Amino acid sequence: MGGFFSAAGDVLSNEVSYDAAMRFAVLLVFAGIGETIAERAGTLNISVEGMILGGAFSGAMGMDIAMSQGLGVSGAVAVGLVFAVAAGVAVASAQANMSHRLTANQFVVGLAINILVLGMAAFLNSNLQPVTRAAPSVKIPLLADIPLLGGALFDQTWPLYLVYPLVPMAWWLLYRTRWGLEVRSVGENPQAADVSGIDVNRRRREAIYVAGMTSGLGGGYLVLGQVGSFEGSIVGGQGFIAIAAVIFGGWTLRGVVAGCLLFGTVNSFRLTLGPLGHDVNSELLSSAPFLVTIVTVAIFAHRSQAPKALARPFIRGLN
Amino acid sequence: MSGETPTTVDDVDIGSPPAVSDPEPMHSRRREFLVVVSLYVASIVFALVISAVLVAATGGSWRAVFSAMLDGSLRAPGRWGTTIGVAIPLLVVALGTTISGRAGLVNIGQEGQVLIGAAFAAYIGVRVGGPGPIVLLCLLVGGAIGGAIWSGIAGALRYWRGVPEVLTTLLLVTVAFQATGYGLKNEDLLLAPFRGDRSVRNPVSEQLSETERIPRINIFGNEFPISAFAAVLMAFALVFLFRRTLWGFRLRMFGQNARTARRAGVSNVKYGMGAMLLSGGCAGLAGGMMLSGGDFGDYKFTPGLSNGIGWDGLLVALVARERPVLIIPMAFGFAGLRTGSGFLAATGVERQISSVVQALLVLALLIPPAILFIRSRRRALAATRART
């Protein structure tokens, strides 16, 4: 127990650990935001893992292509991020159209998409082998000098900063626009929404497209802003953790972001505990994010109200 | 549609027959059959064409790939025996998935359940002494229990804490890999004792002794373990259970409408947990069969022994639309894709193409039933409209 507290103390007093936690959490925030919107519309979208991976690979390809055209690193990263978003949307269109146009089972579709993207990324990666570089760090003056947290929040690669405007934008979209209201109504009571003239499955498809955009962007950030190069196991189940963060956060954006920060922190222990001189079992560390996720979700899932029509297909006249 | 019954005589259109009753049922049925078959054929062809384009786009020859896949799965000497050996765990995993699917539960963590099952089986096989066949039986049962424990965690969280089982089964896959990896680092658990003959210690368990292995038979130079027959028997037993027993009926009722089932006296927790435990148990049993069957890992437990069999078995169940009899050929087909991809090295095409083909096939095979469903819905709606 003493070891645990000294480790916790070391982690809490070290700037590096905040920095690593932030970098892990941001990917989850990117994916978690989109996943929240998709789930509010009624889709438990497990293809978020595939969206991130597709975005990551496509982002790497985009950067490779842009660099070979003679663009600078930052320009190439920007091109890569555009590619990443496009790939996320492509994966989303498969999920959306198969589960909310053809009304195939959304889990079956999502699972098949995940396996397809995993195989496709591995196959294309070994054939094309995109060459990438990490985006440059940008230090925001003054703010980056805040002790402990400053470096983590304001001295990072620039794709990470995209997450700051994204969260309020998602909030505005979900809670302050007509579209957002319709999305939420479609997830709560699709019959009522249908009767009042909302195209239920269309709103659900659009929500999945939004999830594809943010998750694809997250994948682009993962490969270009965090890791710097692509490999097939780069995502490694973090998409599923993002889904858990949505449940943990009770389907509200504030809670989801908190969940992402928590799970990202646990995830970062893999990198931070070793260098700080704490010898923790490596298997335990690698499975810690998943175990913590399961335990916390088991504690908190009961408290919050899931969208009523979550994971239920809508077919007019059948429900 | 109770509200749409015609109330006056004028509402009933006597001139034309209602669209539901067809004047030529025989002809229509044949046409319907043709539509269904051509839809399925078209979607399979579509998936294969996309895969071929992918191979061609990366500079490979799809003809060479196709021929190598056929060689690796069927034509080369001894290969169809290997394919059967691979098909066994796929079949058993898929049968388990069918049970949870019937109950309306989404267990998609078979990969982890297979691995835990194999680890339990390896522990029992190495530690328990006694006559070989009895140890073999114990290790298979132990494997099933291991898989059931792993899926049971997800089931318990589903029924007592309301956590979606989709998520927990998935998250537990990674935990299973780490847990078995830990077991392979400790001599008290799975790691083979140090003999001092090698400087590097590989994380493998001790080999099962010869008497503890599933016997293999040899037909025309094709070898496979006799568990193949047991797996096929299991499939037919499951058909019987689904169609002819109260349990099967209640399970289906529970899967289609849990609330109705509860009103009819079907305990949700009992049937849901039961289905979850059985599906994980099947996956664990498949893991035990992989360990003692000889086609995987040379009778030793290795870190990645499950090798994607859990995922593929899940896909088999999904493609077969949860019908046990259809699962048998599907499992063989998916096993063929797997063994065939072993021969791809000569063609210069990466072997991951086989998992791309598999996933594309699964996605493509989801389309026809969905289209048929929408079509029948439209027809029913049109028929009601014609009547009112």
Side-chain angles (χ1 to χ4, degrees), chain A residues 5-255:
Chain A
F5 283 115
S6 84
D10 275 1
V11 165
L12 286 176
S13 61
N14 198 309
E15 263 188 42
V16 179
S17 55
Y18 288 99
D19 187 64
M22 184 67 188
R23 279 190 275 127
F24 275 99
V26 162
L27 168 66
L28 298 179
V29 175
F30 273 120
I33 288 172
E35 180 67 20
T36 310
I37 294 176
E39 291 199 20
R40 286 306 281 262
T43 318
L44 215 169
N45 179 31
I46 61 168
S47 59
V48 65
E49 176 90 1
M51 290 169 177
I52 299 175
L53 187 60
F57 178 71
S58 171
M61 274 317 293
M63 178 158 193
D64 189 4
I65 292 170
M67 295 245 282
S68 65
Q69 299 295 319
L71 251 72
V73 173
S74 270
V77 167
V79 173
L81 291 179
V82 173
F83 268 64
V85 171
V89 170
V91 175
S93 84
Q95 169 80 47
N97 285 304
M98 292 201 61
S99 60
H100 297 304
R101 200 188 282 276
L102 287 176
T103 65
N105 181 318
Q106 53 182 265
F107 298 122
V108 178
V109 173
L111 182 80
I113 286 178
N114 283 343
I115 293 177
L116 177 64
V117 175
L118 195 64
M120 200 91 113
F123 177 73
L124 291 176
N125 186 43
S126 52
N127 276 300
L128 303 171
Q129 304 204 333
V131 179
T132 53
R133 282 168 60 191
S137 281
V138 178
K139 193 171 176 178
I140 296 175
L142 287 177
L143 286 174
D145 298 329
I146 301 170
L148 282 180
L149 286 171
L153 293 173
F154 301 110
D155 185 11
Q156 297 277 13
T157 55
W158 65 263
L160 182 140
Y161 297 135
L162 293 175
V163 89
Y164 296 143
L166 200 65
V167 177
M169 268 166 64
W171 173 83
W172 181 77
L173 188 67
L174 198 54
Y175 293 101
R176 286 293 179 272
T177 64
R178 187 191 175 90
W179 184 84
L181 181 65
E182 291 186 358
V183 157
R184 284 179 290 142
S185 75
V186 151
E188 289 296 336
N189 192 338
Q191 283 76 31
D194 184 50
V195 169
S196 63
I198 299 167
D199 188 339
V200 172
N201 281 326
R202 180 168 178 173
R203 286 290 167 277
R204 289 187 169 177
R205 289 198 296 270
E206 288 164 354
I208 295 175
Y209 283 120
V210 173
M213 281 181 217
T214 64
S215 308
L217 191 59
Y221 155 77
L222 175 67
V223 68
L224 303 176
Q226 187 188 337
V227 179
S229 63
F230 182 83
E231 53 172 313
S233 61
I234 191 169
V235 184
Q238 292 188 78
F240 304 135
I241 296 185
I243 300 175
V246 175
I247 298 172
F248 172 83
W251 291 272
T252 62
L253 281 173
R254 199 184 310 152

Side-chain angles (χ1 to χ4, degrees), chain A residues 269-285:
Chain A
F269 289 161
R270 247 186 308 173
L271 295 188
T272 49
L273 282 184
L276 286 174
H278 296 281
D279 185 29
V280 184
N281 182 300
S282 72
E283 281 85 12
L284 186 64
L285 269 185

Side-chain angles (χ1 to χ4, degrees), chain A residues 98 101-102 107-108 111 116 119-120 123 126 240 244 247 281-283 286 290 294 297-299 302 316 318, chain B residues 54 58 106 157 161 163 167 170-171 174 178 182 185 314 350 355-356 359-360 363 366 370 373-374 377:
Chain A
M98 292 201 61
R101 200 188 282 276
L102 287 176
F107 298 122
V108 178
L111 182 80
L116 177 64
M120 200 91 113
F123 177 73
S126 52
F240 304 135
I247 298 172
N281 182 300
S282 72
E283 281 85 12
S286 299
F290 298 90
I294 293 171
V297 168
I299 294 169
H302 249 24
R316 187 179 289 158
L318 259 197
Chain B
L54 204 60
T58 49
V106 194
L157 289 172
R161 303 300 313 174
V163 187
L167 186 66
L170 267 177
L171 293 174
T174 320
Q178 299 301 333
Y182 178 75
K185 277 190 185 169
L314 173 57
E350 297 292 330
S355 63
V356 175
L360 277 173
L363 277 177
L366 283 175
F373 174 73
I374 288 176
R377 286 286 307 157

Side-chain angles (χ1 to χ4, degrees), chain B residues 69-80:
Chain B
M69 294 277 249
L70 263 188
D71 282 345
S73 55
L74 291 173
R75 286 198 299 220
R79 288 308 284 182
W80 62 258

Side-chain angles (χ1 to χ4, degrees), chain B residues 301-326:
Chain B
F301 184 76
T302 54
L305 183 77
S306 56
N307 194 14
I309 286 287
W311 297 121
D312 289 357
L314 173 57
L315 292 184
V316 167
L318 300 178
V319 168
R321 298 185 67 68
E322 295 171 349
R323 268 166 299 198
V325 176
L326 259 183

